[in-house]
Amino acid sequence: MPVPPVQIVNPDATGRWVVTCDHATNRVPPEVAGGDLGIAPADMARHIAWDVGAAGVTRHLAARLGGTAVLSDFSRLVIDPNRGEDDPTLLMRLYDGTIIPANRHSDATERERRLELFHRPYHHALAEVLAARDDPVICSIHSFTPQLRNRPPRPWQVGVLFAGDRRLSDPLIARLEADGSLCVGINEPYGGHLPGDAMDRHALSTGRLHVLIELRNDLISDDGGQRHWAERLAPFLEAALEDVRDDPDG
């Protein structure tokens, strides 16, 4: 029996928080190239295949916030759930210098097959979790590599990404910066909006409060680091949400 393409942790939580992880695993399901994309295990362990450490942070953070966690269960190299269906980077053939052999000759039929098997079920499950809650708040957890090939090092420990709706992002950034011990990226290491991405689909288009957090993956490479950052972020998130509630324009 095929493994479902999404994991839902603590689905019966009564809190408002829904913590998501679009790139939770580097698993290649057997329905795709027999479970092997044709790249070396060392490359499958890199950020090109998943967001290293993000799944653990997501699970710990959801538990700390009393919320539900929704995680993908397929590699971003199979098909990227944080891209719109018409995005040219939905199915990558080359990523950070690595050719993806099983994707090189994928045509529209294969793209549609992977959308139907993985991408759409993930988004359908997330939509159902959100619809079951009154006024949910989304926190999307991602991680980034300290340095891309032939690029400068990235100094940020944590990044907060946003597009047009900054109701939760702005108070979170203010809280993080006021701490004084963190190097905070504001729409770093990249901008916070791609048309049709997960936050566009489930938050911007619906008016839900949301924030996307990026953590540098060398800080969350093991369970201790993942638990530490979940515990560190949770009070900031709770305080930022209170700031929104206290703002008459929020």
Side-chain angles (χ1 to χ4, degrees):
M1 180 178 295
V3 175
V6 59
Q7 294 183 10
I8 302 174
V9 181
N10 200 15
D12 298 323
T14 57
R16 293 179 65 190
W17 291 96
V18 176
V19 187
T20 68
C21 189
D22 299 324
H23 303 140
T25 179
N26 59 0
R27 187 178 78 90
V28 180
E31 296 93 334
V32 176
D36 186 350
L37 295 175
I39 66 175
D43 276 327
M44 284 302 299
R46 294 173 59 215
H47 68 282
I48 64 171
W50 61 325
D51 278 359
V52 176
V57 175
T58 298
R59 292 188 180 94
H60 290 310
L61 184 59
R64 172 63 175 73
L65 294 171
T68 295
V70 180
L71 307 97
S72 68
D73 199 11
F74 54 93
S75 171
R76 69 197 302 169
L77 295 179
V78 170
I79 195 161
D80 194 332
N82 195 34
R83 296 292 185 272
E85 292 194 9
D86 58 353
D87 192 299
T89 64
L90 179 70
L91 204 161
M92 294 291 283
R93 292 168 170 79
L94 174 70
Y95 197 161
D96 195 23
T98 297
I99 294 171
I100 319 302
N103 293 352
R104 287 188 70 184
H105 304 295
S106 296
D107 57 14
T109 300
E110 177 62 10
R111 179 188 181 104
E112 176 63 23
R113 189 179 77 90
R114 296 192 199 181
L115 280 167
E116 194 64 23
L117 284 173
F118 310 111
H119 190 282
R120 290 172 185 149
Y122 171 75
H123 285 286
H124 178 72
L126 176 53
E128 285 194 331
V129 168
L130 292 166
R133 281 160 176 73
D134 293 328
D135 201 17
V137 181
I138 307 171
C139 177
S140 182
I141 298 294
H142 293 253
S143 72
F144 63 94
T145 186
Q147 184 174 12
L148 292 173
R149 290 180 181 178
N150 304 314
R151 301 286 183 88
R154 292 161 157 177
W156 313 283
Q157 295 162 289
V158 56
V160 179
L161 277 56
F162 53 85
D165 183 350
R166 301 174 60 163
R167 289 175 295 165
L168 187 55
S169 298
D170 279 354
L172 178 60
I173 291 166
R175 294 274 182 173
L176 291 169
E177 290 184 330
D179 178 76
S181 66
L182 294 170
C183 182
V184 181
I186 302 173
N187 266 345
E188 296 286 0
Y190 16 71
H193 183 235
L194 290 169
D197 68 10
M199 289 298 94
D200 188 18
R201 181 169 181 164
H202 297 285
L204 287 167
S205 65
T206 62
R208 293 180 176 121
L209 282 173
H210 66 283
V211 66
L212 192 155
I213 295 175
E214 290 271 0
L215 292 164
R216 207 175 66 214
N217 66 26
D218 61 320
L219 303 174
I220 55 171
S221 59
D222 59 24
D223 184 70
Q226 294 156 20
R227 189 181 299 273
H228 167 80
W229 276 94
E231 291 293 329
R232 191 168 189 183
L233 287 172
F236 288 119
L237 286 162
E238 290 170 327
L241 183 56
E242 288 296 327
D243 293 341
V244 175
R245 289 174 180 164
D246 291 341
D247 181 354
D249 298 321

